[in-house]
Amino acid sequence: MKRLAALALPALVLLPQAALAHPGHGEAAGLVHGFLHPVSGADHVLAMVAVGLLAALRGGRALWALPAAFLALMAAGAGLGMAGVEVSGLGLPVAETGIALSVVAFGLAAAFGLRLPVAALGALVGGFATFHGYAHGAEMPETASGLVYGLGFLAGTALLHAAGLGLGLAIAAGTRRTVMAPMLGGAVVASGVVLLAGHF
């Protein structure tokens, strides 16, 4: 079952339209659309599940701190995207590259068991979350419906973090942690490289 999970991650990027979770790919209004947005693109799914995986493998305060950092800075990035603000050249093309890089970075951190302090891991996760948020916010309508959409994508993101936490806790409690964590991390890295290659 665990091997199946490891193989499923790179397979996500091979699904038709899997990586297309950004503007021009459907209506961006309402709670349901917001909730479905993060779970409909391989780039977001891989990154957000990987955050939960990292948090579980790190343990302790990281269990809540890493998902919280991601959610908070993703919301901040969404605000920038909604306002159409470009900070140091941050625009949608750069944001999408940043999202692909986040998948690679989170996968490497899981594969090598990166043991940074929780604050440093939170900064890493939160920094990349800004790109995810910007991409979400750039397509969010400037209406009350858009606010509800934003709450939906935060809920969808939290659900993906929870899935990663569950997977990571199962691995941490198992006898094959030293094999499974690098295997899953490597699968995430490989998927991120495929996503990244699509931007060049």
Side-chain angles (χ1 to χ4, degrees):
M1 185 65 167
K2 290 179 180 177
R3 285 188 185 192
L4 182 61
L7 294 173
L9 292 173
L12 284 173
V13 298
L14 301 176
L15 294 174
Q17 304 295 316
L20 304 177
H22 306 298
H25 305 293
E27 185 182 355
L31 186 67
V32 173
H33 286 105
F35 182 83
L36 292 176
H37 186 82
V39 302
S40 65
D43 47 3
H44 293 306
V45 170
L46 288 165
M48 294 167 188
V49 170
V51 167
L53 176 64
L54 271 178
L57 294 175
R58 182 65 175 80
R61 288 188 307 122
L63 290 170
W64 60 267
L66 297 190
F70 192 100
L71 289 168
L73 285 167
M74 185 178 72
L80 294 174
M82 285 178 67
V85 174
E86 292 201 18
V87 181
S88 299
L90 177 62
L92 198 55
V94 174
E96 291 186 352
T97 300
I99 290 168
L101 283 172
S102 75
V103 176
V104 174
F106 299 158
L108 286 171
F112 291 103
L114 191 62
R115 298 293 297 177
L116 290 175
V118 173
L121 276 176
L124 173 73
V125 164
F128 279 116
T130 307
F131 293 111
H132 288 265
Y134 189 94
H136 286 309
E139 67 178 354
M140 190 184 302
E142 296 178 12
T143 62
S145 167
L147 177 60
V148 175
Y149 171 86
L151 293 174
F153 82 66
L154 285 172
T157 298
L159 180 66
L160 291 170
H161 288 333
L165 279 168
L167 181 61
L169 290 171
I171 290 171
T175 57
R176 303 189 64 193
R177 173 185 173 139
T178 55
V179 175
M180 290 305 303
M183 183 186 300
L184 280 175
V188 172
V189 171
S191 300
V193 168
V194 171
L195 290 168
L196 196 55
H199 294 296
F200 297 101

